[in-house]
Amino acid sequence: MKTLNQLDGGVNEAQHRAITHKDGAMLVLAGPGSGKTFTVTQRIKYLIEQHHIQPEDILVITFTKAAAAEMQERFVKLNDGKCYPVCFGTFHSVFFRILRHTYRFTADNIIREADKYRILAQIIRELPPELQSQEGQYANMDTETLQRLLAEISKAKNNGLAPGEIRSETVSQAEFEHIYHAYKQEMNKKRLIDFDDMVLLCRDLLVSRPEVLKIWQERFHYILVDEFQDICPLQYEVVRLLAKPQDNLFIVGDDDQSIYGFRGSSPEIMLHFTEDYPDASQVLLNVNYRSKQDITETAGKLIAHNKVRFSKKVRTQNIQKDGVRVYSFHSKPKQAENIALLIKQYMEQPGAKYSDIAILYRTNSHIAYTAECLVREGIPFSINEKPKNIYDSETAKDMIAYINYALHEDSVSDFLRIMNRPVRYIRRNTVPRNPFSMQEILENNRTLGYVVENIIGLYDGLRFIKGMNPFSAVNFIRKGIGYDDYLKKKASECGRDAAKELETLEEIMQLAKGFETLAEWMEHVQNYDSTIRELQHGSGKKCHTDAVNIVTMHASKGLEWKVVILPDVNEGVVPHKKAVTDSELEEERRMFYVAMTRAKENLFLFYIKESMEKKEAGNLLPSRFLDEMFDQTVL
């Protein structure tokens, strides 16, 4: 048997324990930059060459095609191009292989994404009248709503739950259960399956047909699972069935990087692994080969505030402590300007490349302003997700119309939009077709005293708005002018829930906080669509071989860059305002930990901090995560 020093590439003691493990279960905790892929590929080679395990008896499961391809490529390279017939695949490819063997499924049985949306939209359009809270309200379902519904259906399947056990945040509970069953019935009728069905069908097949289970248990004697923290309950159940009776189950992952709760994954599965396998060995890959020491230590301080986790002590190979910088700015424009300046300064260094840099955002709705600034400064960038245009919502358009009219009083269309929101009984035929003064509209309504009073009240409100900052203006429209009450009343009359529209208003207010003046914010709103087009057709085009990476925190997992910039490190963004429960807050902390640990050399944390004279009830606050990472309070 090879010793520590004889293994290919040189390994540390923890890696040696993992690589040389043979029989039985093993849990490998592999933090960021700890050589996880190296360890897995070395172990496969060790099993084949030292323990003479047949390569075809080994199954390696990953979560994505890209990860499976990379793992296989690294393994082939490790063996100097020799192709051992080890089975590398995703969960879904493995499950489909089992189903294909028994049920003779082909690729034609896998539903296409477009067909999923088409079937779901048709089911919703044909909802029984007694289930619809408002007649015709689902006549034109947008893609985002369909995505949310499919995610909820997926969560039910991946957790092995009945639709009644999942709380839908998209439609009423009765509607969700009807949609779930109708969707399943339509899929069965067409003999179609989706990726979630593969898991369900595979589990049911292996449980109900012992002879089929035995075939696959004898086919794979050693199972390795990568990124185990992302596994969902049903996937875990299938893997446990396949691993019996030898239980040669080698799992690798990091509970601190479990960030897919919305898909049904949970760090608890990994935390309880040794309860399911009491004889399992456990090892921590405790050396970080990626990041400078202060980056690792700062991220470690943050994640240590989570209670549901394995406790870990990690050391770094790079002992430098000049990698973390924290800066505050008075507004989003100032933050964006400094991001551009930072990038330009970095590019002055010998050998610097734009692709060394990543800007990581919590959600894609926060991306556009920075992208807009990079366009103006001529800095190339790539972006993998189209930013959501929140300003396309009806409530956002109402806020924008109020503010634009307050600033300029020259848009008849803006006046028509706001004049009866809330209701002021201003008749459309009394509004001039061209820009007009308050006196003109008053004159046209002079016979109706109550309408005259309402018009005067409207213009008084507009004058107040004109002197406010963006956050205060939106808040005044909602509370002072009465827009929230109008929205709730309108929703009640139409038989729908106003919560989602009020939630959108809260998000708009959150975005508005980062701007100092109304004019500044309106310029951003006006340019938003052109910025999105620029992302797709201009500086954001993927044809740039050397470009700054703009990525969401979710999408950054598994990647690394020399320089990582994390903007908007503020309450309501990180942690997200929707995170309320302890488990939700812990997942937000894990996500931020993932984002921080993408950095190899430099990590910049930026947050918005309003000046003392502008502080008010709705001011932006630094994220609590900053306090958790540093010894002194960030204020």
Side-chain angles (χ1 to χ4, degrees), residues 334-350:
K334 289 294 181 186
Q335 176 181 258
E337 288 170 16
N338 278 275
I339 289 174
L341 179 63
L342 177 63
I343 293 168
K344 287 182 175 181
Q345 289 174 342
Y346 177 81
M347 290 303 295
E348 292 174 359
Q349 301 177 40

Side-chain angles (χ1 to χ4, degrees), residues 79 88 90 213 226 252-253 299 304 494 506 509 536 582-583 619 621:
N79 292 287
F88 292 87
T90 64
L213 175 60
D226 187 26
V252 185
C494 296
E506 287 293 334
M509 286 177 67
Q536 295 174 300
D582 288 344
S583 62
N619 71 299
L621 295 173

Side-chain angles (χ1 to χ4, degrees), residues 323-583:
V324 181
R325 298 284 187 276
V326 184
Y327 296 101
S328 65
F329 304 98
H330 292 317
S331 67
K332 282 183 180 290
K334 289 294 181 186
Q335 176 181 258
E337 288 170 16
N338 278 275
I339 289 174
L341 179 63
L342 177 63
I343 293 168
K344 287 182 175 181
Q345 289 174 342
Y346 177 81
M347 290 303 295
E348 292 174 359
Q349 301 177 40
K353 296 184 295 184
Y354 285 115
S355 56
D356 293 338
I357 305 168
I359 308 169
L360 307 185
Y361 280 89
R362 171 62 181 85
T363 65
N364 64 12
S365 62
H366 292 91
I367 289 172
Y369 198 89
T370 298
E372 186 180 325
C373 184
L374 298 188
V375 170
R376 288 198 305 267
E377 296 295 329
I379 296 173
F381 62 90
S382 66
I383 185 166
N384 63 351
E385 296 182 46
K386 178 184 175 182
K388 169 189 171 185
N389 190 349
I390 193 173
Y391 302 116
D392 272 345
S393 66
E394 290 301 304
T395 49
K397 288 176 180 177
D398 289 346
M399 298 300 109
I400 293 164
Y402 260 107
I403 291 168
N404 271 330
Y405 201 79
L407 290 174
H408 308 294
E409 293 190 18
D410 62 355
S411 170
V412 176
S413 61
D414 282 341
F415 184 86
L416 289 170
R417 186 173 190 95
I418 66 175
M419 66 182 187
N420 285 315
R421 299 183 184 190
V423 176
R424 298 183 180 90
Y425 304 100
I426 304 172
R427 291 176 297 173
R428 195 180 183 91
N429 62 4
T430 66
V431 180
R433 293 185 178 181
N434 299 313
F436 53 87
S437 66
M438 181 180 74
Q439 292 304 320
E440 289 177 80
I441 188 74
L442 285 174
E443 178 63 24
N444 292 349
N445 286 275
R446 65 184 183 278
T447 59
L448 299 171
Y450 62 95
V451 177
V452 168
E453 287 182 16
N454 290 339
I455 293 171
I456 292 171
L458 169 60
Y459 275 87
D460 284 343
L462 293 169
R463 279 191 287 271
F464 274 119
I465 292 168
K466 191 172 183 178
M468 294 177 172
N469 64 39
F471 173 85
S472 300
V474 175
N475 192 49
F476 178 73
I477 295 166
R478 295 181 63 188
K479 311 298 183 185
I481 287 179
Y483 185 85
D484 275 13
D485 291 337
Y486 155 78
L487 199 62
K488 292 173 187 173
K489 185 178 179 183
K490 183 181 175 186
S492 176
E493 290 171 352
C494 296
R496 71 171 192 270
D497 185 6
K500 289 185 180 64
E501 290 168 274
L502 290 170
E503 189 176 291
T504 299
L505 279 173
E506 287 293 334
E507 191 171 348
I508 291 166
M509 286 177 67
Q510 185 74 28
L511 293 172
K513 286 180 184 178
F515 299 87
E516 292 182 333
T517 68
L518 293 176
E520 192 179 71
W521 189 39
M522 287 300 100
E523 182 184 2
H524 167 64
V525 171
Q526 184 180 351
N527 294 331
Y528 198 99
D529 275 331
S530 62
T531 300
I532 291 177
R533 286 194 296 273
E534 194 73 48
L535 305 188
Q536 295 174 300
H537 306 299
S539 293
K541 233 179 179 181
K542 289 186 178 179
C543 62
H544 285 280
T545 55
D546 184 30
V548 174
N549 303 274
I550 301 181
V551 185
T552 61
M553 291 181 185
H554 267 114
S556 74
K557 190 163 171 287
L559 304 175
E560 62 181 32
W561 297 274
K562 287 185 178 180
V563 179
V564 168
I565 303 167
L566 302 182
D568 300 329
V569 186
N570 288 89
E571 284 293 308
V573 181
V574 282
H576 196 276
K577 59 185 174 61
K578 289 184 180 179
V580 177
T581 65
D582 288 344
S583 62

Side-chain angles (χ1 to χ4, degrees), residues 145-193:
T145 303
L146 293 174
Q147 284 175 337
R148 289 201 304 268
L149 269 172
L150 285 169
E152 289 169 351
I153 291 171
S154 176
K155 189 170 184 178
K157 290 179 180 180
N158 283 323
N159 284 278
L161 300 174
E165 297 176 275
I166 289 287
R167 183 173 63 86
S168 174
E169 295 181 359
T170 308
V171 294
S172 72
Q173 197 60 35
E175 287 170 330
F176 178 72
E177 292 181 33
H178 175 88
I179 291 166
Y180 181 96
H181 290 300
Y183 180 71
K184 184 178 179 182
Q185 186 177 18
E186 186 67 17
M187 296 274 283
N188 290 343
K189 186 169 74 175
K190 296 179 183 296
R191 205 165 185 261
L192 291 171
I193 59 173

Side-chain angles (χ1 to χ4, degrees), residues 95-153:
F95 296 160
F96 187 66
R97 181 178 179 179
I98 293 170
L99 294 172
R100 185 175 57 193
H101 181 271
T102 302
Y103 296 133
R104 299 294 186 262
F105 280 151
T106 69
D108 291 336
N109 295 108
I110 303 174
I111 189 170
R112 295 174 176 82
E113 281 297 305
D115 290 335
K116 286 165 70 172
Y117 287 94
R118 182 183 55 77
I119 290 172
L120 196 62
Q122 183 67 24
I123 290 169
I124 293 167
R125 281 195 295 270
E126 295 175 359
L127 274 174
E130 65 271 15
L131 285 179
Q132 296 187 33
S133 50
Q134 178 198 348
E135 187 177 353
Q137 73 179 104
Y138 298 131
N140 295 298
M141 294 293 284
D142 59 273
T143 303
E144 189 177 339
T145 303
L146 293 174
Q147 284 175 337
R148 289 201 304 268
L149 269 172
L150 285 169
E152 289 169 351
I153 291 171

